[in-house]
Structure formats: C-alpha cells, structure tokens
Amino acid sequence: MIFLKPEGDSTGGYPDLGWYQLGGTLVVMEGIEKSFPGVHALKECRFELRSGEVHALVGENGAGKSTLMKILAGVYTKDAGRILYKGKEVEIANPRAAQELGISMIHQEFNLMPHLTVAQNIFIGREPRQGLRFILDEKAINEKTKYLLDMLHLDLDPRAKVSDLTVAKQQMVEIAKALSFNSEVLIMDEPTAALTEAEVKELFRIIRQLRDRGVGIVFISHRLGEVKQISDRITVMRDGRYINTVVTSDATIDHIISMMVGREIYESSRLNPEVRSQEVVLEVKNLRRGRIIKDVSFTLKKGEILGFAGLMGAGRTEVARAIFGADPIDAGEIYVRGRKVKIRSPKDAVKHGIGYLSEDRKRYGLVLDMDVETNIVLASLEKFRGFLGWVKRARARAEAQRRVIELKIKTPNLQQKVKYLSGGNQQKVVIGKWLTRNCDILIFDEPTRGIDVGAKSEIYRLLNDLAESGKSIIMISSELPEILRMSHRILVMCEGRITGELNAGEATEELIMKYATMHTK
C-alpha cells in the first residue's frame, strides 16, 4: 500500500498490514441488488477481492460491472445485500465514507480540475495550511505530492497544470489522488481506453507495483488481452448477474467470451471481398488543412466499407471531420455522386446524405439527458413537422420504434434517457439517428471503442448489413484486426498523408504497420 509518510517516520511510509496478510480477503459483496427507473441493474450479485491481487471484472456493456463497483465506492447505495470489509459488515453511504474506509474508484471520466495543478488536485479539500488557517501551504502540498509521485516512480511536476498533461498523465494523477487517501482498495474503470501501447505498459507497471505492496485492485475492462496480461482472477457478469470467477491462468479468452455473452458471437466473413457496385458515391481530391491534412485524395464506392488505418495523430479523424464540415479546409474538392459540393458545415454534409458517428458519441453524437425517441428523430425533425411546425409525435414515435426493433436497441421504452443505456446501445441510437435521416454515406469513427465483445459483434453485423443494403461506409479504427475483418479496401495514413492503399485480400497487420510508419518529408 502507498501511505503518506508522517513527520519523523522512519518506516518508509508503509504501515503494518495489521490484521490481514497478503492474499487475505479485503472485500466480500453478497446478494447485491440495485434498480433504476425501468431497469433492474443488479440481481443477487456477489464479488470478492483479496489484498495484493488484481481482480478483473468483465462483461458486456450493461452487464452491471460499473454499477456494482459504484456501490462499493459509495456512488450508489444498494437496494439489498451486504458488504463485508476486512471481515466486518459496513454501510457505504457516499464516496467520502468509502474513502475513509480505504476504498477509492477511478472513473472512466476523470474527476480532475484542469485549471489547478497536480498537487492542488490531489489534495483539494485537505490542503495543509499555514499559521493563519485561511492561507494554504503550497510548499507543503507540493512536497507531499512529490513524495507520493516519487514512490510511484512517476515523472510529474507537482506544480504542472492538469490541463497541460496528456490523458495518460492525468490518469496517473487520479491514481496518486486515490492513493493519497491511503487506499487499500483501488477500482479502475476502463483505465486503458484512451491510452497508447506505451502508456498502457507504464500503467501496468504501476498496477503491479501497487499489487506487490498489498493493494487490492479491481480492473474493469473490455480488452480481454489486457485482462489476461494483468489480472490474477477474473469475475464475469452478464445481464446484471454474477456468472463465475476464474483464475486468469486457467481461463482462455474464448471461455471468458462464452461466459460473457452466453450466445454465439457473430463472425464477419466476406466470401467475396469485392464490392458489387463500381459506382463512386464520394470522391475527395487534394484535401488540405494546415499540417494536419496533406493532399488527401480517395474514392468511396456504393456498398463499400472503406477502412482508414494509422497510428494516433495520423490525421484520420481530421479527414473525417473535414469531409463532414466540422472543421474548415484550406483547399480541396469533394464530389458526391459525381457532383462537386461545398460543405462548410455539418448541416451541408447531412443535406448531401453524409452522416458522421464521432469517436466521442456522448459528446458529439447524443443528447444524453434526452430520451431514445428524441435522439433518433433529432436530425430529421423536418420530416415529422406538421401544421405550424408542431412535431407529429405519433409519427415520430412510430419511426423511433421501428429503428429500435431494426437495430435491436435494448431499452425498457422509448422514453428512457440515453445516458442510462449501455455503450453499445448508445452507438446503435446514433446509427438509428442517421438512418432516420436517410444518409447513404456513413463515417464511423472508432465504432466499437468502449464497447464489449458481444456488442462489437452486433455492430459488425450491422455494418455488413448496411453495406449489403447499398450504404457506403468509411470506418476509422485503431484496432487492426477490426480493420482487416471489416474492410473491402484499406487506406493507411501517416502524418496527414495517405501512404498506402490495400485490398482486403492482400492486407496484413505487418503491411498496414509498414505504411502507418512510412514517414514522408
């Protein structure tokens, strides 16, 4: 465990582990129940965590993983069941109560204040003060933070503003903040979702360091390869229920998947990698934007899935946003079905039948506090307007219901707020929105980011079905197996340029990486 070194302490800041030994049971959750309006989220759930272990919690979106851990962290209160902490039954009424017990949670959405420094974020509300109580002791805050960061071998300046840090370093600040509470239980919800491979390695180094010092770590992730790499045990949840707990070394990924989904996973197999139609629906010529997009040209055919591959910062998302009119361009031409068009805004793009599903669906694709029905019809309201501009609710509801059935969106009803849906179902709502708008050209930016293996399977099936029906798709993905599995053609970008074009039959991960690292002057 990481404990802040008290004044005059010569023990290195590590207290006696006391009543329990490494590997002793820290947490037992039994019979946990939780319901939200219209949703029975947890049903007789259980979970156990030992000291000095990394315990992975896996399942599809909506399986109840985050909900169960938010109960342990005091974010939600349980409806039934009991929690034992160090052998004693406890009631965890709020996050502060959890922190006082030694339980901290790092959420997917960070809880940091960007305008404050690293040290100020870590000790906010607990700042050391000088003689006059209203004067903060900035020197003491920075020294305590430096001690904590040094123990984690983190190269961070306590005085650096959080807004100037990368996502990976912000996550390290969250870890340091959690451990500043002398946490013995650390819950990490999708900690690697926005990290590069090198940053994931650094995170795993810290996780192993904490595990070796006795901290019990709950690791929630959809990335099963990483789960196998970092965890000691794995608990699987499905549809709000506990399924099983297995020793990681004894479980194969296929076995984990079968427990997670409880059904056959759809495998994309395209017997004929050629696109049926040769009709070009979108042509981009010599697209330029500063140093980000450098002379990009390509075509998209009817019924084609065109994959865009490349490393982070290659310019893939920037090209998509430029085509959609979200960002201005310096030069270039765009043709839709052979006709040159001017796209100065997303409204222009939608008018020409282009829909864009952003990698950040919560920020750019959905209105989270609105219901499923409203989100589905939002981009097409003129289709449902009647006399004096009033929306024909019955017609809008019927269209939304049709999309829910067509896309198999799991929701208790059309009035459910989108923020309560799982990630996979939120993605389907965005797709439903653009299908309702009757867009024939769809740009999918990281379509399965933050989505579990079962929901990925459904998105893959949906993309294939859309292509088969004549929709044309640009798919940007950082997962090479996904690109290889789904694309008819693959364009590879590096430093704002297209450095390679591959047909599905010839593409390999090695060839894609060759073009993705082909730096040009």
Side-chain angles (χ1 to χ4, degrees), residues 334-513:
I334 298 173
Y335 295 81
V336 176
R337 296 175 195 85
R339 187 164 62 91
K340 186 177 179 180
V341 298
K342 290 287 186 183
I343 299 178
R344 297 184 178 88
S345 69
K347 185 176 181 180
D348 293 337
V350 172
K351 184 178 69 175
H352 293 297
I354 302 173
Y356 177 49
L357 290 84
S358 167
E359 61 180 331
D360 190 346
R361 58 180 171 269
K362 291 184 178 181
R363 185 176 179 186
Y364 296 116
L366 298 165
V367 183
L368 293 175
D369 281 318
M370 287 188 171
D371 58 36
V372 171
E373 177 187 330
T374 303
N375 272 276
I376 288 177
V377 302
L378 199 57
S380 313
L381 283 177
E382 67 272 11
K383 290 171 57 176
F384 305 103
R385 283 192 183 135
F387 184 64
L388 297 178
W390 293 102
V391 174
K392 295 180 178 179
R393 294 303 302 272
R395 187 177 167 193
R397 186 168 293 119
E399 176 67 18
Q401 186 63 46
R402 182 166 79 89
R403 297 300 178 189
V404 166
I405 294 169
E406 176 188 16
L407 300 175
K408 298 183 176 64
I409 299 172
K410 292 179 183 176
T411 177
N413 51 58
L414 293 176
Q415 281 63 55
Q416 177 74 302
K417 287 186 177 181
V418 167
K419 66 181 178 182
Y420 295 128
L421 301 186
S422 68
N425 286 299
Q426 287 179 348
Q427 186 73 303
K428 290 180 182 180
V429 170
V430 183
I431 295 170
K433 175 178 73 173
W434 292 124
L435 293 181
T436 299
R437 191 64 176 77
N438 199 28
C439 290
D440 293 322
I441 300 167
L442 296 168
I443 304 172
F444 286 79
D445 196 349
E446 302 288 358
T448 63
R449 174 171 289 172
I451 292 177
D452 63 82
V453 66
K456 277 186 179 183
S457 169
E458 293 180 9
I459 295 295
Y460 294 155
R461 185 196 296 272
L462 183 57
L463 290 177
N464 268 346
D465 289 347
L466 290 171
E468 286 288 324
S469 70
K471 303 291 185 187
S472 303
I473 295 168
I474 292 173
M475 186 185 75
I476 300 167
S477 177
S478 298
E479 297 187 25
L480 293 187
E482 183 169 90
I483 283 281
L484 290 167
R485 180 190 215 185
M486 295 300 300
S487 308
H488 292 101
R489 270 189 308 140
I490 299 167
L491 299 179
V492 189
M493 291 191 66
C494 180
E495 296 179 343
R497 299 181 188 276
I498 293 177
T499 50
E501 178 177 335
L502 302 166
N503 291 320
E506 64 178 325
T508 63
E509 289 195 24
E510 291 77 16
L511 201 48
I512 290 174
M513 286 306 297

Side-chain angles (χ1 to χ4, degrees), residues 250-378:
D250 295 340
T252 65
I253 288 181
D254 286 344
H255 181 217
I256 297 166
I257 290 172
S258 68
M259 288 191 289
M260 284 171 57
V261 301
R263 63 183 186 277
E264 183 182 351
I265 290 293
Y266 170 69
E267 292 292 338
S268 166
S269 57
R270 191 174 290 108
L271 296 178
N272 179 10
E274 299 299 322
V275 184
R276 293 177 182 174
S277 173
Q278 294 303 307
E279 178 188 348
V280 173
V281 296
L282 176 70
E283 184 173 9
V284 174
K285 290 184 178 180
N286 309 118
L287 199 67
R288 294 175 181 272
R289 180 167 184 254
R291 298 172 59 86
I292 301 171
I293 305 172
K294 305 170 185 174
D295 200 26
V296 167
S297 300
F298 65 90
T299 60
L300 174 68
K301 299 171 186 175
K302 182 177 180 180
E304 179 180 35
I305 299 178
L306 179 63
F308 266 71
L311 301 177
M312 191 175 295
R316 296 166 300 162
T317 294
E318 288 77 8
V319 168
R321 288 177 58 86
I323 293 169
F324 192 61
D327 295 328
I329 61 173
D330 298 333
E333 299 174 346
I334 298 173
Y335 295 81
V336 176
R337 296 175 195 85
R339 187 164 62 91
K340 186 177 179 180
V341 298
K342 290 287 186 183
I343 299 178
R344 297 184 178 88
S345 69
K347 185 176 181 180
D348 293 337
V350 172
K351 184 178 69 175
H352 293 297
I354 302 173
Y356 177 49
L357 290 84
S358 167
E359 61 180 331
D360 190 346
R361 58 180 171 269
K362 291 184 178 181
R363 185 176 179 186
Y364 296 116
L366 298 165
V367 183
L368 293 175
D369 281 318
M370 287 188 171
D371 58 36
V372 171
E373 177 187 330
T374 303
N375 272 276
I376 288 177
V377 302
L378 199 57

